[in-house]
Amino acid sequence: MSPPADEGALWYDDDAGPMVRAYTITGGRTRPESGQEIDLIAVIVADPDADPDETLDEQHLALLDLCRPAPLSVAELASEADLAVGVVRVLLGDLLRDGQLRVIRPVPPADLPDAGLLRDVIDGLRAL
């Protein structure tokens, strides 16, 4: 459905606010430049000793401000910043490259102990 002719180029309602496409925020990038994939449940920690670079844009600074008080997951940052997860991953890659933050990656399932081993340990402890 096309907008009425008297509304001109305005094709969204006033309540939607300003609309910025994801590729504009990320400069056309779809992946972090570092090549590192940042997991959705990875925890982001802002480096308290790092001084924010003067060239950082509004979105980068907003992400830093969000994870400064307490570590947040990528999913939480995307929700709080009201940005798409893909955009947040690209922006976090920039901040990671610049040393502004650290990423605490989740433990891969292959590195977790076997459930049977844990049961044996619990049984052994109970036997004591």
Side-chain angles (χ1 to χ4, degrees), residues 1 8 10 16-17 25 31 46 48 52 61-64 89 92 104 109 115 123:
M1 182 174 175
L10 248 158
I25 295 172
R31 297 188 183 274
L61 292 172
L63 291 177
L64 280 174
R89 284 179 171 158
L92 290 175
I104 301 171
D123 292 342

Side-chain angles (χ1 to χ4, degrees), residues 28-121:
R29 298 172 293 152
T30 58
R31 297 188 183 274
E33 287 179 348
S34 62
Q36 297 179 356
E37 283 295 321
I38 303 173
D39 197 286
L40 191 62
I41 59 173
V43 176
I44 308 300
V45 181
D47 185 353
D49 299 328
D51 292 326
D53 187 357
E54 296 173 3
T55 62
L56 293 177
D57 63 20
E58 182 181 333
Q59 286 82 16
H60 286 99
L61 292 172
L63 291 177
L64 280 174
D65 289 342
L66 285 170
C67 60
R68 237 184 222 115
L72 293 173
S73 71
V74 173
E76 291 170 316
L77 281 171
S79 175
E80 291 292 324
D82 197 25
L83 293 170
V85 173
V87 171
V88 170
R89 284 179 171 158
V90 171
L91 297 176
L92 290 175
D94 296 344
L95 294 170
L96 181 62
R97 179 197 62 218
D98 295 343
Q100 298 289 325
L101 52 82
R102 291 182 303 119
V103 177
I104 301 171
R105 301 183 192 285
V107 177
D111 293 345
L112 294 173
D114 179 41
L117 174 66
L118 292 176
R119 273 194 283 284
D120 291 342
V121 171

